[in-house]
Amino acid sequence: MKHYNYTKELETVLGQLKEVQHTKKHEKLYANAPADHKPILRKAYKDALKVALFNLSIALDTWVIEGCQIEEGDKRCEL
């Protein structure tokens, strides 16, 4: 059941936030890997987290530029 009529910008922000949370779940993926694989897996995790955070940042910037509306019809925030 949908309780709010979120704007498309906020939907994007929430989706990107889920991506960050999903990426975070792989934080210790390398823990049980062979020693020679650990540096590669560690770097891959950090790169994936950077990308997810960068995408979240862009989504937040877009949401702010569009007036920080939660729902369609909300008053726009003026910067």
Side-chain angles (χ1 to χ4, degrees):
M1 172 182 267
K2 192 171 182 179
H3 298 284
Y4 296 97
N5 186 23
Y6 293 133
T7 61
K8 65 179 177 146
E9 293 82 11
L10 184 59
E11 289 281 353
T12 303
V13 168
L14 296 173
Q16 292 303 321
L17 185 58
K18 283 182 184 178
E19 284 298 316
V20 170
Q21 292 170 329
H22 177 73
T23 303
K24 229 4 218 123
K25 289 179 183 177
H26 296 95
E27 184 175 12
K28 301 200 180 196
L29 183 64
Y30 66 90
N32 295 324
D36 55 335
H37 293 170
K38 284 185 180 183
I40 296 166
L41 293 172
R42 184 177 175 88
K43 181 176 179 348
Y45 164 74
K46 289 183 357 183
D47 288 345
L49 185 59
K50 283 180 190 178
V51 169
L53 288 168
F54 182 74
N55 289 338
L56 175 60
S57 173
I58 290 171
L60 284 167
D61 287 345
T62 302
W63 178 66
V64 169
I65 289 168
E66 292 299 318
C68 303
Q69 295 172 302
I70 300 293
E71 290 188 277
E72 298 292 342
D74 282 352
K75 183 179 176 187
R76 292 175 52 92
C77 297
E78 298 300 325
L79 302 175

